[in-house]
């Protein structure tokens, strides 16, 4: 089973939603984790947005990238354009993608929903590609 790491600046919104979609849509096909260049919290609005589509991410945690080993992952996905700031070993895995999605933090619920939709579509494509 391929192991996927979703990484973002604070591991609060985008990477958490990606983890939720990937765990649900990729259940039994891929193993999923998320982290941030720094840790913070799982954003309450991200939890709310995922609840709207029937996915509970309230038990997920925000964790710093230094808690993980890049070699443990087959695919590393940056959601915020932070790939340029990642330690080199993270961008040289079998699959590395930088999705560069808009940060919904502090924006309207409509922006959150748009970004959520973009994440779902990309996660579905990723699962198809690697599972």
């Amino acid at each position: 089973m391929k192991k996927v790491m979703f990484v973002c600046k604070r591991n609060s919104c985008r990477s958490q939603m990606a983890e939720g979609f990937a765990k649900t849509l990729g259940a039994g096909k891929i193993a999923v984790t998320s982290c941030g260049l720094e840790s913070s919290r799982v954003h309450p609005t991200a939890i709310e947005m995922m609840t709207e589509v029937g996915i509970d991410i309230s038990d997920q945690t925000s964790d710093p990238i230094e808690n993980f080993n890049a070699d443990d992952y087959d695919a590393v996905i940056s959601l915020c354009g932070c790939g340029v700031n990642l330690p080199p070993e993270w961008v040289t895995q079998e699959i590395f993608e930088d999705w560069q999605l808009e940060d919904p933090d502090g924006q309207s619920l409509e922006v959150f929903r748009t970004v959520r939709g973009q994440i779902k579509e990309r996660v579905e494509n990723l699962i198809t590609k690697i599972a």
Side-chain angles (χ1 to χ4, degrees), residues 65-94:
I65 196 167
E66 56 267 5
N67 287 6
F68 302 95
N69 179 354
D71 292 335
D72 293 341
Y73 297 90
D74 302 293
V76 176
I77 309 298
S78 163
L79 287 99
C80 63
C82 69
V84 296
N85 297 316
L86 291 176
E89 64 273 17
W90 287 95
V91 299
T92 56
Q93 296 311 306
E94 180 182 331

Side-chain angles (χ1 to χ4, degrees), residues 29-124:
K29 300 176 190 166
I30 60 173
V32 184
T33 312
S34 73
C35 69
L37 295 176
E38 57 193 67
S39 62
S40 57
R41 65 188 174 133
V42 181
H43 198 291
T45 309
I47 295 171
E48 178 188 336
M49 289 294 103
M50 294 304 286
T51 301
E52 280 186 0
V53 295
I55 298 173
D56 181 8
I57 64 169
S58 62
D59 62 343
Q60 292 178 191
T61 58
S62 178
D63 302 296
I65 196 167
E66 56 267 5
N67 287 6
F68 302 95
N69 179 354
D71 292 335
D72 293 341
Y73 297 90
D74 302 293
V76 176
I77 309 298
S78 163
L79 287 99
C80 63
C82 69
V84 296
N85 297 316
L86 291 176
E89 64 273 17
W90 287 95
V91 299
T92 56
Q93 296 311 306
E94 180 182 331
I95 296 170
F96 174 78
E97 295 179 6
D98 202 336
W99 292 352
Q100 300 190 23
L101 298 173
E102 181 177 3
D103 187 355
D105 189 13
Q107 303 211 50
S108 70
L109 293 181
E110 195 50 49
V111 171
F112 257 97
R113 288 184 183 104
T114 298
V115 173
R116 178 188 66 197
Q118 293 167 342
I119 291 169
K120 180 180 185 214
E121 183 179 324
R122 289 175 189 223
V123 166
E124 288 170 338

